[in-house]
């Protein structure tokens, strides 16, 4: 029966990990805009020659 | 047949989709209604961005009414700049703009490809729901005013207002609530797991060590729920207690605290499991219900005041030079410039130029008025025509319009009546307190060992949460359903207020009738195609709404040149077209009849204008008339009186109303003991909307600026006003029935609890069962009624 202590520890730990991930994603704003990404992914790439010039020097999306 | 032919020959603008009823511009065989639309197309075409037009048909914003770019210069001022720039270093800066025109996937595509138009835009990202764009730009290459002008040049004018700052706060609380909800959910779920064995074993496990562990784990997990997740209940009930009244959160806070303290006692003194699961369950479900109830519509704003209508800056002339300063800094005696289509921000005197003021914003009257030098111009007018110079005589905060707003605001705030649910829950709380106290006394006499149980368990089992849940879930779902069809409610309280309405007041222009269109009744000779072309050519020269209506009516597709055009304000227009002399305007004999049309001294006939009612209005009035008195207020002349008398009683129609007059009218009704619902649109109704018990702002475009109100209503849905009232009544009924349902559960629970006999198993079954059935009951019925009524 003592294995149950280990299992309880594991399950709580796992649940905590999910909770922390959720809180982090809520804090970084992932639940704020639940519509635009669904439209954005359907756009085609722009034709050649008009590629994004300076995008690579800035990869963060800001606060 | 004639109308059919007309509609096929007319062209729709490739950019904005509006009818080209004036001059048509062509690029690559694509028609454009105005020069502005054509320019946007050319910019996009040059940069291979025409996918914009493939994603949605005619996605652009009409560019007929444009304002000069000079007003963006004010963005250079540090205090204003900091409102839009969220971050900056030596190389780049981050900007957030609110773009009201964002409305389709084409908008997202174009705006996120902004870097192809200007290399200095590094990155652009759109938040569609909030209609915001986030831009990272190269500081060396572009300035903030230039970014704003760039957005404007493709048809997305950034909205610059002093009010933006206030908008940010509710977002934060919503985010915090989501996290509190997550914590409560996590703890609730895990506590349920630890409690389950104890329930199944009827209170005692075989392994006492394991039981102890489960109890302490439950306690541990309950701590964040008690101290963190349930925070808002304590804060709000503490606030209400300090103001000496009981609000809806007070019984919940009491239940949470009692349950927690009682459970602590059970764990440490009695060595039992406690009710941590019930407590975290209450918190979790309450937060969940509130999260959905308060999920605000990001595109709808209810709390606008005059500052959101006024421009951010005015072009003041100082030492012969033009300088942009914020309107709030305008001082008495300053001279400033107002250009075509710009708004007058403060009461001023005209010192230079000819003012042609469109006061539709303030009075609802669509016909512009003329003012000459030396005359007073009230704030809120929009200049149509060439630039004028004005001298401020009252600062913005002192202006007539602002005063009206402030006055109505302070008076309306006072009426804070307690809602129906609040009253119910208060009595409910009292009854529970009294019952448990009686039980306590009873058992103290009969069998003292059971007395404490009998005192506390009723409070736990009969906590008013089932009642509160039924209200939050019913209202939350009802508001969401109404939102789906374009009726946006400010909060749940509005739904309740709707059930008490017994008088309805309508504004005329813009609310029940279209403000920009007038229907023409022609009495006279029938016109030939040639005559129509002549009339069209002349009428097309003028910006007067009646001329526009005549131009649309006489459109033939034939374009003729006008010579010797002259316009006498308030009289009419003259001109020579293809050798014929024309006059359109007021006839000399009969003042009110309308506009006569004269070609070569021959009087062809007379046009009279009547307001075009929105679709479904007559049906709505018929239905509403059966139930309530309905009133009509208009800032307009009484030219439509006879026609509208079919719907409104003579004594309930009022014309020539000032904004203050409208407010007084509502107040008079309220003094008669009536609960008034007011439907209005422009700023001229703002005072009346605030004064009324339920103010409904009617708007053709949900993202456009509406005055402060309780409900924002899509103009297309105005015919459903009666259904809205009906639906509100139904949802109140649902709350009552689910309350009855929860009372049945509570009586069952109390039956055991008052005997001091309540076993943990029964508590464990009753708690979630009552909660879940109530949630299902309320959401199920609100959805059912929504399907039946609102579709």
């Amino acid at each position: 029966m003592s294995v149950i202590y280990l299992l309880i520890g594991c399950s709580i730990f796992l649940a905590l990990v999910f909770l922390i991930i959720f809180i982090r994603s809520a804090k970084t704003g992932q639940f704020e805009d639940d519509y635009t990404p669904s439209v954005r992914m359907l756009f085609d790439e722009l034709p050649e020659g008009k590629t994004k010039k300076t995008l690579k020097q800035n990869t963060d999306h800001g606060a | 047949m004639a109308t059919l032919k007309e509609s096929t020959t007319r062209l729709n603008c490739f950019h904005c989709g509006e009818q080209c009823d004036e001059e048509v511009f062509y690029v690559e065989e694509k028609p454009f209604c105005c020069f502005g639309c054509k320019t946007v197309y050319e910019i996009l075409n040059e940069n291979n961005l025409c996918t914009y037009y493939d994603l949605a048909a005619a996605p652009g914003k009409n560019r007929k009414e444009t304002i000069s770019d000079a007003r963006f210069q004010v963005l250079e001022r540090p205090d204003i700049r900091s409102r839009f720039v969220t971050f900056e270093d030596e190389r780049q800066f981050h900007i957030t703009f609110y773009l009201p025109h964002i409305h389709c996937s084409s908008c997202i595509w174009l705006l996120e490809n902004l870097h192809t138009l200007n290399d200095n835009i590094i990155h652009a990202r759109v938040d569609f729901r909030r209609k915001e764009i986030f831009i990272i730009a190269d500081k060396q290459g572009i300035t903030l005013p230039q970014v704003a002008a760039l957005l404007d040049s493709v048809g997305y004018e950034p909205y610059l207002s002093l009010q933006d700052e206030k908008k940010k706060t509710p977002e934060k609380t919503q985010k915090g609530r989501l996290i509190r909800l997550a914590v409560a959910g996590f703890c609730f779920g895990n506590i349920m797991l630890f409690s389950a064995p104890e329930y199944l074993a009827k209170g005692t496990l075989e392994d006492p060590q394991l039981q102890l562990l489960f109890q302490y784990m439950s306690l541990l997990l309950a701590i964040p729920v008690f101290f963190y997740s349930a925070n808002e209940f304590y804060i709000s009930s503490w606030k209400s207690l300090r103001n000496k009244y009981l609000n809806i959160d007070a019984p919940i806070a009491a239940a949470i605290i009692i349950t927690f303290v009682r459970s602590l006692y059970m764990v440490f003194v009695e060595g039992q499991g406690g009710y941590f699961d019930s407590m975290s369950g209450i918190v979790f479900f309450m937060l969940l219900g509130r999260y959905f109830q308060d999920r605000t519509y990001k595109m709808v704003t209810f709390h606008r005041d005059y500052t959101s209508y006024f421009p951010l800056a005015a072009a003041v002339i100082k030492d012969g030079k033009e300088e942009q300063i914020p309107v709030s800094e305008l001082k008495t005696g300053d001279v400033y410039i107002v250009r075509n289509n710009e708004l007058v921000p403060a009461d001023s005197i005209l010192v230079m130029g000819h003012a042609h003021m469109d006061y539709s914003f303030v009075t609802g009257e669509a016909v512009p008025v003329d003012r000459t030098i030396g005359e007073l111009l009230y704030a809120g007018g929009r200049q149509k025509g060439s630039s004028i110079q004005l001298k401020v005589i009252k600062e913005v905060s002192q202006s007539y319009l602002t005063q009206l707003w402030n006055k109505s605001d302070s008076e309306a705030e006072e009426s804070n009546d307690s809602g129906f649910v609040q009253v119910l829950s208060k009595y409910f709380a009292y009854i529970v307190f009294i019952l448990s106290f009686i039980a306590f006394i009873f058992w103290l006499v009969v069998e003292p060992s059971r007395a404490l149980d009998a005192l506390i368990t009723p409070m736990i089992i009969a906590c008013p949460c089932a009642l509160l849940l039924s209200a939050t879930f019913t209202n939350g779902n009802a508001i969401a359903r109404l939102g789906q069809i374009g009726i946006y409610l400010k909060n749940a309280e509005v739904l309740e207020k709707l059930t008490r309405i017994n008088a309805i007041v309508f504004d005329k222009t813009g609310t029940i009738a279209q403000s920009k269109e007038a229907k023409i009744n022609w009495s006279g000779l029938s016109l030939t195609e040639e005559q129509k072309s002549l009339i069209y050519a002349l009428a097309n020269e003028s910006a007067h709404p009646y001329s526009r209506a005549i131009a649309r009516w006489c459109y033939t597709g034939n374009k003729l040149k006008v010579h010797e055009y002259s316009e006498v304000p308030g009289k009419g227009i003259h001109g020579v077209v293809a050798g014929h002399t024309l006059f359109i305007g007021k006839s000399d004999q009969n003042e009110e009849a309308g506009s006569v049309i004269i070609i070569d001294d021959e009087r062809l006939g007379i046009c009279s204008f009547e307001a075009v009612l929105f679709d479904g209005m007559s049906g709505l009035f018929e239905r509403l008339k059966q139930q309530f008195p309905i009133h009509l207020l208009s800032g307009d002349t009484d030219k439509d009186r006879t026609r509208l008398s079919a719907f409104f009683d003579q004594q309930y129609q009022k014309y020539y109303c000032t904004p203050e007059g409208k407010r007084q009218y509502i107040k008079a009704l309220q003094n008669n003991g009536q609960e008034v619902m007011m439907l209005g649109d422009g700023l001229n109704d703002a005072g009346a909307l605030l004064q009324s018990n339920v103010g409904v702002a009617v708007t053709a475009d949900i993202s456009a600026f509406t005055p402060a109100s309780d409900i924002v209503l899509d103009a297309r849905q105005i015919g459903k006003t009666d259904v809205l009232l009906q639906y509100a009544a139904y949802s109140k009924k649902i709350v009552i029935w689910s309350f009855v349902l929860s009372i049945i559960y509570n009586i069952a629970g109390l039956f055991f609890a008052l005997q001091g006999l309540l076993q943990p198993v029964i508590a464990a079954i009753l708690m979630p069962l009552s909660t879940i059935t109530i949630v299902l009951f309320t959401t199920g019925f609100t959805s059912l009624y929504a399907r039946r009524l609102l579709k």
Side-chain angles (χ1 to χ4, degrees):
Chain A
M1 270 306 270
S2 56
V3 74
I4 199 158
Y5 295 104
L6 181 73
L7 287 175
I8 288 169
C10 286
S11 78
I12 289 279
F13 175 75
L14 209 64
L16 259 177
V17 169
F18 285 123
L19 179 69
I20 288 164
I21 291 173
F22 181 83
I23 290 174
R24 273 199 57 180
S25 56
K27 279 201 167 150
T28 51
Q30 286 195 32
F31 297 96
E32 273 170 41
D33 187 1
D34 50 4
Y35 179 78
T36 326
S38 69
V39 176
R40 191 178 290 132
M41 67 168 289
L42 297 173
F43 295 143
D44 293 328
E45 292 293 312
L46 274 184
E48 284 301 307
K50 282 276 173 189
T51 46
K52 302 188 178 188
K53 179 194 129 195
T54 33
L55 192 61
K56 54 184 174 301
Q57 78 183 48
N58 189 293
T59 42
D60 70 311
H61 291 169
Chain B
M1 266 323 277
T3 50
L4 192 74
K5 199 179 144 209
E6 224 169 49
S7 63
T8 48
T9 51
R10 286 197 174 181
L11 294 165
N12 284 17
C13 177
F14 187 68
H15 177 72
C16 69
E18 278 185 28
Q19 257 180 15
C20 310
D21 47 15
E22 289 152 48
E23 199 175 344
V24 184
F25 297 84
Y26 284 98
V27 181
E28 298 166 359
E29 296 182 357
K30 295 182 177 79
F32 294 92
C33 67
C34 60
F35 187 72
C37 289
K38 181 183 140 229
T39 316
V40 176
Y41 174 77
E42 282 169 350
I43 293 172
L44 299 184
N45 196 20
E46 263 168 45
N47 291 286
N48 289 328
L49 287 173
C50 280
T51 317
Y52 181 57
Y53 297 102
D54 302 337
L55 294 168
K61 182 184 193 300
N62 191 293
R63 302 277 292 165
K64 276 177 199 158
E65 301 196 342
T66 49
I67 312 182
S68 90
D69 280 351
R71 79 210 126 102
F72 293 130
Q73 286 310 320
V74 74
L75 289 172
E76 290 287 24
R77 286 177 62 104
D79 52 331
I80 289 175
R81 182 190 168 88
S82 64
R83 270 184 208 158
F84 301 99
V85 176
T86 45
F87 165 85
E88 72 182 304
D89 60 17
E90 313 82 58
R91 285 192 303 122
Q92 49 177 242
F93 56 128
H94 297 183
I95 314 157
T96 308
F97 276 130
Y98 175 59
L99 308 178
H101 181 59
I102 293 178
H103 71 291
C104 68
S105 51
S106 274
C107 302
I108 303 173
W109 184 84
L110 176 64
L111 290 169
E112 296 198 341
N113 282 308
L114 210 61
H115 56 89
T116 47
L117 288 176
N118 190 321
D119 282 345
N120 296 305
I121 303 289
I122 299 166
H123 175 80
R125 207 163 181 82
V126 172
D127 184 330
F128 184 80
R129 287 270 163 83
R130 221 177 290 164
K131 296 177 188 285
E132 274 179 1
I133 187 167
F134 172 74
I135 294 173
I136 301 174
D138 189 345
K139 212 172 170 183
Q140 262 81 47
I142 198 163
T143 62
L144 189 60
Q146 283 169 344
V147 175
L150 173 69
L151 288 168
D152 187 44
S153 74
V154 288
Y156 295 91
E157 186 195 340
Y159 171 62
L160 311 176
S161 140
L162 301 165
Q163 230 194 348
D164 273 8
E165 211 146 17
K166 295 181 201 156
K167 267 175 54 187
K168 300 234 158 85
T169 31
E171 285 299 324
K172 266 210 177 101
T173 57
Q174 187 77 347
K175 210 193 256 182
R177 183 174 275 172
L178 185 64
I179 294 172
R180 279 199 293 275
L181 177 64
V183 170
F186 162 80
C187 295
F188 173 56
N190 281 292
I191 293 173
M192 285 294 269
L193 281 181
F194 290 124
S195 312
E198 206 173 288
Y199 290 143
L200 295 175
K202 292 198 174 147
T204 40
L205 295 186
E206 277 173 40
D207 185 347
Q209 234 185 330
L210 209 57
Q211 186 171 10
L212 216 60
L213 175 76
F214 284 169
Q215 282 168 12
Y216 282 102
M217 285 306 286
S218 298
L219 168 62
L220 204 66
L221 285 165
I223 286 171
V225 178
F226 184 74
F227 286 103
Y228 174 66
S229 295
N231 247 339
E232 64 176 84
F233 300 113
Y234 310 141
I235 294 169
S236 119
S237 51
W238 177 242
K239 272 185 197 156
S240 83
L241 277 179
R242 272 215 315 220
N243 291 327
K244 293 187 180 124
Y245 77 98
L246 264 180
N247 76 348
I248 208 155
D249 283 345
I252 309 176
I256 292 169
I257 293 170
I258 289 171
T259 320
F260 188 72
V261 174
R262 163 76 178 145
S263 304
L264 283 182
Y265 178 80
M266 282 170 80
V267 169
F268 289 114
V269 182
E270 297 179 348
Q272 284 176 327
Y275 296 111
F276 294 118
D277 53 339
S278 307
M279 187 205 78
S280 23
I282 297 169
V283 176
F284 175 67
F285 282 110
M286 284 309 302
L287 285 176
L288 187 70
R290 292 211 175 161
Y291 182 76
F292 284 107
Q293 186 180 290
D294 291 356
R295 206 166 42 160
T296 45
Y297 300 99
K298 286 168 188 161
M299 62 245 191
V300 189
T301 321
F302 296 97
H303 303 282
R304 292 202 186 276
D305 63 17
Y306 62 93
T307 52
S308 53
Y309 288 89
F310 286 176
L312 194 62
V316 172
I317 301 176
K318 268 189 188 155
D319 311 324
K321 269 192 296 181
E322 196 184 316
E323 192 189 329
Q324 296 277 341
I325 67 163
V327 287
S328 52
E329 286 177 22
L330 274 180
K331 297 256 162 27
T332 310
D334 281 354
V335 175
Y336 64 101
I337 302 175
V338 171
R339 296 194 167 79
N340 185 22
N341 274 325
E342 283 183 351
L343 213 64
V344 176
D347 294 355
S348 313
I349 283 180
L350 184 64
V351 291
M352 201 172 152
H354 182 83
H356 194 56
M357 281 285 140
D358 174 7
Y359 274 112
S360 58
F361 191 45
V362 183
T363 60
E365 172 62 75
V367 183
V369 293
D370 289 279
R371 292 280 180 273
T372 49
I373 291 175
E375 281 191 273
L376 175 68
L377 297 177
Y378 285 112
R382 195 180 284 282
Q383 165 69 352
K384 298 274 177 192
S386 52
S387 318
I388 48 174
Q389 285 187 17
L390 302 171
K391 189 177 191 173
V392 181
I393 57 160
K394 272 183 187 166
E395 289 167 22
V396 176
S397 57
Q398 303 292 315
S399 286
Y400 169 66
L401 200 66
T402 318
Q403 290 285 326
L404 172 74
W405 200 295
N406 291 342
K407 183 158 59 178
S408 46
D409 208 354
S410 58
E411 282 178 29
E413 282 300 307
E414 285 168 24
S415 60
N416 192 0
D417 51 352
S418 58
F420 146 81
V421 179
Q422 226 130 341
V423 173
L424 259 184
S425 68
K426 205 160 79 185
Y427 285 119
F428 189 74
Y430 285 139
I431 291 169
V432 172
F433 280 128
I434 292 168
L435 271 183
S436 41
F437 198 69
I438 292 171
F440 176 68
I441 304 285
F442 177 78
W443 286 114
L444 208 60
V445 177
V446 179
E447 198 185 328
S449 67
R450 284 160 82 175
L452 205 61
D453 262 359
L455 175 69
I456 290 165
T457 37
M459 290 192 204
I460 296 169
I461 196 80
C463 102
C465 71
L467 164 67
L468 298 175
L469 276 176
S470 61
T472 34
F473 276 91
T474 308
N475 294 339
N477 196 33
I479 290 174
R481 293 282 160 179
L482 289 169
Q484 282 171 357
I485 64 158
I487 302 173
Y488 303 94
L489 272 65
K490 183 162 81 177
N491 55 33
E493 211 181 314
V494 176
L495 201 65
E496 213 186 294
K497 279 188 193 163
L498 278 174
T499 60
R500 295 198 296 264
I501 293 300
N502 52 21
I504 300 180
V505 180
F506 288 93
D507 167 55
K508 199 192 84 187
T509 319
T511 306
I512 65 169
Q514 289 167 7
S515 52
K516 293 230 169 89
E517 296 216 3
K519 198 171 133 206
I520 292 178
N521 288 327
W522 173 247
S523 54
L525 308 168
S526 65
L527 299 173
T528 62
E529 281 289 296
E530 193 207 341
Q531 283 169 329
K532 276 192 171 181
S533 311
L534 298 177
I535 297 166
Y536 168 77
L538 181 65
N540 197 27
E541 292 292 315
S542 163
H544 194 284
Y546 286 172
S547 307
R548 298 251 64 84
I550 294 175
R552 266 194 296 276
W553 175 59
C554 288
Y555 181 82
T556 54
N558 216 350
K559 261 206 81 74
L560 299 167
K561 269 237 153 14
V562 181
H563 303 281
E564 296 169 39
Y565 173 77
S566 72
E567 180 165 356
V568 184
K571 283 296 288 175
I573 47 178
H574 283 279
V576 178
V577 187
H580 300 276
T581 337
L582 268 85
F583 170 75
I584 305 175
K586 270 199 187 128
S587 86
D588 293 327
Q589 302 101 20
N590 200 341
E591 265 284 301
E592 71 226 279
S595 299
V596 286
I597 296 176
I598 300 172
I599 299 183
D600 293 334
D601 294 330
E602 187 193 353
R603 190 175 179 280
L604 295 179
I606 188 158
C607 298
S608 57
F609 303 92
E610 70 178 37
V612 183
L613 294 187
F614 282 117
D615 292 340
M617 289 314 290
S618 48
L620 172 71
F621 294 145
E622 289 301 329
R623 291 193 300 271
L624 284 177
K625 238 169 42 179
Q626 319 278 326
Q627 307 167 44
F628 315 103
I630 53 175
H631 304 253
L632 180 80
L633 297 179
S634 175
D636 210 347
T637 60
D638 61 355
K639 62 183 190 296
D640 293 308
R641 181 184 276 271
T642 39
R643 195 160 58 101
L644 290 168
S645 291
F647 309 117
F648 297 94
D649 262 11
Q650 280 289 350
Q651 52 175 357
Y652 291 156
Q653 294 181 49
K654 246 189 126 204
Y655 295 91
Y656 306 104
C657 291
T658 60
E660 174 64 17
K662 288 185 179 179
R663 198 180 71 81
Q664 293 293 351
Y665 189 85
I666 305 264
K667 203 164 179 197
L669 286 179
Q670 286 172 330
N671 289 342
N672 269 339
Q674 286 177 303
E675 302 261 334
V676 184
M677 170 157 138
M678 164 89 197
L679 290 92
D681 64 326
L683 204 55
N684 56 324
D685 300 319
L689 288 177
L690 281 172
Q691 179 66 45
S692 61
N693 300 74
V694 176
V696 184
V698 180
T699 173
D701 177 9
I702 288 301
S703 61
F705 306 121
T706 51
S709 58
D710 300 306
I711 299 177
V712 175
L713 182 75
D714 190 330
R716 279 162 296 185
Q717 302 294 343
I718 188 167
K720 288 192 177 140
T721 309
D722 60 325
V723 180
L724 168 68
L725 290 170
Q726 233 176 321
Y727 190 62
Y730 273 129
S731 50
K732 185 174 174 181
K733 238 182 239 171
I734 295 169
V735 174
I736 293 174
W737 278 108
S738 60
F739 180 50
V740 169
L741 193 69
S742 72
I743 281 184
I744 295 172
Y745 283 120
N746 281 319
I747 289 173
L750 281 173
F751 176 74
F752 294 107
L754 289 174
Q755 298 178 68
L757 274 178
L758 191 71
Q759 288 187 344
V761 191
I762 298 167
I765 292 169
L766 273 178
M767 255 303 296
L769 189 71
S770 66
T771 312
I772 289 164
T773 42
I774 281 178
V775 169
L776 286 179
F777 180 85
T778 56
T779 50
F781 272 94
T782 41
S783 303
L784 186 75
Y785 281 130
R787 196 167 304 157
R788 211 185 284 167
L789 279 177
L790 304 177
K791 287 286 145 64

